[in-house]
Amino acid sequence: MKEQRYLTVTALTKYIKRKFDADPHLQDVLVKGEISNFKQHSSGHMYFTLKDEKARILAVMFSGSARSMKFSPENGMKVLITGSITLYEQSGQYQIYVKSMQPDGIGDLYLAYEQLKEKLEKEGLFSTAHKKILPKYPKTIGVITSPTGAAVRDIITTIKRRYPIAHILILPALVQGDNAKHSVVKAIEKANEMAEIDTLIVGRGGGSIEELWAFNEEIVARAIYASKIPIISAVGHETDFTIADFVADMRAPTPTGAAEMAVPHIDELMERVLTRQTRLLRVMKERIQFDRQRLNRIEKSYAFRYPRRVYEQKMEQVDKTTERLIRGAEKVFLGKKETFTNLHRRIERNSPNELLKQALLQHERLAKQMNRAMTGIFSEKQKDFRQMIVTLEALSPLKIMDRGYSLVYNEEDKLVKSIEQISTDDPIKVRMSDGSLLCKVVEVQGEENK
Amino acid sequence: MADKVSFEEAMKKLEDIVERLEEGDVPLEEAISIYRQGMELSKLCHDKLKDVEEQLTQILTEDGKKEDFSIQEEE
């Protein structure tokens, strides 16, 4: 044998790996088994062995696939797996790469639950805006559950203990089995036809997911959503939520819890009544005390202590007002009287007698005025005249002659002003201030002779 | 007459009265009158709670009738 015919381990392993990878059946495997040697790496990858009584296979689930899982795998858990088979070359071991994994036994139900939950959530059936408020003091509580069993007993005893004045009406329903959903829906509808029911508890005791399944049914969810009466869901399983829990207005972990939510405790109510009564008493006491103090204050006031003063003051006020009234009236009267007198006077003044008298008076006055004016004018003129005489006297030739001047007249008694008018031997008359001289001209001398 | 008032109504009225009085601007005569009313309501609520007439538990039968119900032990 030649050496070339020997394969390396790597080559052989690669060859085998190709065989695995090429087989379509091995690329899409559905396998179920039990988990053992479960380890989750800090990276999120999961490593475990899947086994049954006779065989085992290594399994790897990478974090990417593991993240979308709805449960946490544990050792001993039976699971359903989809994945592909491949060979891990370093160890020469074949293993399954897990794409998805779900707990065995509930597989379809689990899926259905998730799908329905998602659908209803999208539709808004879980919206808090739609949740109804439970009545504070319910009168009739409808209980939809099996009439036998722990749930109904727990609900009844709890309500009776806390709030015995509430009326309980059991609406019997099947709570497990295929007909349970229809039975529960019918009971919810029936309850909504009964006017007296103001609170509904819908539920049952704990059980496996199959037993509780009716509460994960769509028609039940829709019936709860459609109910006009507020519903408390009480499906006895503390950890898992049913669809009914999401839709219900309140969710109680147990039937007992639901009963506690449904009714107040009578002792608390008693306490509340007493508190109100105390407040009522206190507020009234305070009120009366306050009013009494006010009254005391008022009684101590001036008006109460000296009532006469109030009265006297009023009297004074009356007097003063009366006085003002009289004064006012007088003023009005006097005013009118004065107006009358004035008018009367005007009429008198305008009578013919009066007018005549006035005219005479005026005439007299005018005459006097005229006389006075005439006398005035006369004396004025006299004064002027005297003045003129004085002036005249000053201008008189006689006055000038007094100062030594003489006037010469010719024969015809004409004033001689020039030598031209005179010839030698002409007779002339020289008038002096105190008389005249009759003279004869001896010689006429001209000015040039001087 | 007062007995026809439900506990809830009585509590509500009582609460309203207390609040009105605590606000303090109620005329005295009215205050006294509603105080009396309040005390009556308080007594009524108290009595309703104290002298509890235990209500019967009933069950709705198939044919829509109500029958008295008593708890059966689980079989």
Side-chain angles (χ1 to χ4, degrees):
Chain A
M1 270 190 187
K2 283 185 184 160
E3 215 177 303
Q4 284 93 323
R5 296 187 60 192
Y6 292 90
L7 293 169
T8 61
V9 177
T10 303
L12 177 62
T13 307
K14 273 199 188 325
Y15 177 79
I16 297 170
K17 183 172 160 55
R18 264 208 301 282
K19 288 282 171 200
F20 276 108
D21 293 347
D23 186 333
H25 297 296
L26 293 182
Q27 291 315 301
D28 197 11
V29 175
L30 300 177
V31 61
K32 59 178 180 178
E34 190 187 309
I35 294 173
S36 67
N37 297 326
F38 180 82
K39 254 177 234 155
Q40 184 158 19
H41 200 264
S42 59
S43 60
H45 308 321
M46 292 171 175
Y47 301 92
F48 57 95
T49 305
L50 191 68
K51 63 171 191 182
D52 59 18
E53 296 80 32
K54 289 173 186 153
R56 55 182 56 212
I57 181 172
L58 290 173
V60 181
M61 191 175 197
F62 292 115
S63 59
S65 312
R67 218 174 292 131
S68 60
M69 238 176 2
K70 301 280 195 295
F71 71 104
S72 305
E74 288 165 31
N75 284 330
M77 195 179 262
K78 292 209 164 59
V79 289
L80 301 171
I81 282 173
T82 56
S84 56
I85 309 296
T86 189
L87 190 84
Y88 185 57
E89 292 166 64
Q90 276 100 319
S91 61
Q93 283 173 312
Y94 67 91
Q95 51 190 18
I96 181 162
Y97 285 168
V98 182
K99 284 191 206 122
S100 70
M101 175 161 65
Q102 48 180 282
D104 189 8
I106 55 159
D108 291 347
L109 290 180
Y110 189 77
L111 200 67
Y113 169 87
E114 284 300 329
Q115 283 169 348
L116 181 62
K117 190 182 148 195
E118 204 182 318
K119 177 179 158 189
L120 297 183
E121 184 155 28
K122 268 189 195 148
E123 274 187 46
L125 263 72
F126 306 160
S127 143
T128 45
H130 185 263
K131 305 276 184 216
K132 292 174 281 297
I133 294 162
L134 298 174
K136 264 194 203 161
Y137 312 107
K139 292 187 198 73
T140 300
I141 299 159
V143 181
I144 297 174
T145 190
S146 161
T148 59
V152 75
R153 190 192 58 218
D154 289 348
I155 291 169
I156 291 168
T157 52
T158 307
I159 292 175
K160 293 258 178 232
R161 173 170 52 79
R162 285 172 61 91
Y163 196 65
I165 54 181
H167 179 219
I168 303 167
L169 184 62
I170 312 287
L171 294 107
L174 296 170
V175 290
Q176 75 187 64
D178 291 343
N179 288 323
K181 55 186 176 189
H182 300 296
S183 179
V184 170
V185 168
K186 225 177 90 190
I188 292 171
E189 286 167 358
K190 186 85 204 156
N192 273 279
E193 285 165 19
M194 304 178 77
E196 74 259 38
I197 298 176
D198 49 27
T199 306
L200 263 182
I201 297 173
V202 179
R204 53 154 292 148
S208 70
I209 189 166
E210 289 93 339
E211 285 170 335
L212 304 179
W213 197 252
F215 297 92
N216 284 324
E217 291 284 1
E218 184 168 352
I219 57 164
V220 173
R222 293 200 184 278
I224 291 173
Y225 186 76
S227 172
K228 302 247 181 335
I229 307 166
I231 292 180
I232 305 170
S233 78
V235 183
H237 206 288
E238 299 239 8
T239 48
D240 290 338
F241 279 68
T242 61
I243 300 287
D245 289 330
F246 291 115
V247 190
D249 300 296
M250 291 282 270
R251 182 247 172 187
T254 60
T256 304
E260 281 168 354
M261 276 178 193
V263 293
H265 200 294
I266 199 155
D267 292 348
E268 284 166 23
L269 289 184
M270 193 75 97
E271 185 71 35
R272 253 146 83 182
V273 172
L274 289 177
T275 314
R276 277 167 179 68
Q277 197 180 320
T278 313
R279 272 166 73 192
L280 199 60
L281 275 165
R282 198 195 56 226
V283 82
M284 205 57 208
K285 222 187 250 171
E286 281 170 1
R287 172 60 191 265
I288 286 166
Q289 205 181 342
F290 176 76
D291 282 349
R292 183 169 292 142
Q293 279 172 1
R294 250 173 69 191
L295 183 62
N296 284 344
R297 262 203 314 282
I298 291 164
E299 281 172 353
K300 279 187 201 140
S301 74
Y302 180 81
F304 265 88
R305 278 186 301 160
Y306 308 106
R308 272 189 66 182
R309 292 208 186 154
V310 175
Y311 166 78
E312 280 163 3
Q313 265 184 12
K314 294 282 172 207
M315 274 307 288
E316 200 181 326
Q317 222 174 346
V318 169
D319 285 351
K320 278 187 178 156
T321 313
T322 312
E323 216 170 276
R324 269 171 63 204
L325 178 71
I326 291 167
R327 260 208 311 279
E330 270 175 353
K331 208 166 148 192
V332 171
F333 171 71
L334 287 177
K336 297 278 179 209
K337 195 175 165 189
E338 200 182 315
T339 312
F340 169 73
T341 312
N342 284 342
L343 283 172
H344 186 70
R345 249 183 234 148
R346 273 168 67 192
I347 282 182
E348 273 186 341
R349 262 205 303 280
N350 288 319
S351 77
N353 272 344
E354 190 64 21
L355 289 176
L356 184 64
K357 221 155 102 191
Q358 291 289 324
L360 284 170
L361 274 172
Q362 199 172 6
H363 168 73
E364 205 174 315
R365 200 166 56 242
L366 286 172
K368 264 184 197 160
Q369 235 172 18
M370 201 169 69
N371 278 342
R372 239 191 337 266
M374 282 309 290
T375 317
I377 290 167
F378 182 71
S379 66
E380 192 74 18
K381 295 287 171 196
Q382 215 169 26
K383 208 171 130 200
D384 288 352
F385 178 66
R386 267 189 223 113
Q387 187 65 43
M388 271 163 70
I389 285 179
V390 171
T391 314
L392 208 60
E393 274 177 355
L395 295 172
S396 158
L398 293 177
K399 270 265 192 238
I400 300 166
M401 283 187 288
D402 276 349
R403 298 203 310 257
Y405 294 95
S406 305
L407 292 168
V408 179
Y409 296 88
N410 62 12
E411 269 178 308
E412 286 104 36
D413 235 9
K414 276 188 182 163
L415 195 60
V416 178
K417 289 176 184 175
S418 166
I419 53 171
E420 309 275 306
Q421 294 170 274
I422 296 291
S423 313
T424 313
D425 291 331
D426 278 357
I428 55 166
K429 196 162 104 186
V430 177
R431 184 171 287 184
M432 310 273 214
S433 65
D434 50 355
S436 305
L437 298 174
L438 294 174
C439 308
K440 214 170 209 154
V441 178
V442 179
E443 194 184 351
V444 176
Q445 293 173 337
E447 199 67 51
E448 62 275 4
N449 295 345
K450 262 178 131 177
Chain B
M1 194 173 80
D3 280 338
K4 281 180 188 160
V5 180
S6 75
F7 177 77
E8 187 165 14
E9 284 163 349
M11 277 295 270
K12 176 86 177 65
K13 274 191 190 163
L14 179 56
E15 181 69 31
D16 289 349
I17 284 173
V18 173
E19 274 171 13
R20 262 193 83 192
L21 283 179
E22 281 175 344
E23 274 169 23
D25 46 7
V26 187
L28 187 63
E29 284 84 353
E30 204 185 335
I32 290 167
S33 138
I34 64 173
Y35 166 75
R36 279 207 192 110
Q37 229 179 308
M39 287 309 276
E40 275 167 24
L41 284 166
S42 154
K43 186 175 178 301
L44 181 76
C45 289
H46 193 265
D47 291 351
K48 269 187 190 253
L49 293 174
K50 205 175 171 193
D51 310 324
V52 172
E53 273 179 64
E54 192 152 316
Q55 293 283 336
L56 285 173
T57 301
Q58 290 181 306
I59 185 163
L60 198 67
T61 60
E62 279 292 311
D63 47 5
K65 280 184 195 147
K66 290 174 196 165
E67 284 176 4
D68 291 352
F69 179 81
S70 59
I71 301 161
Q72 303 156 18
E73 281 310 308
E74 261 178 297
E75 56 263 39

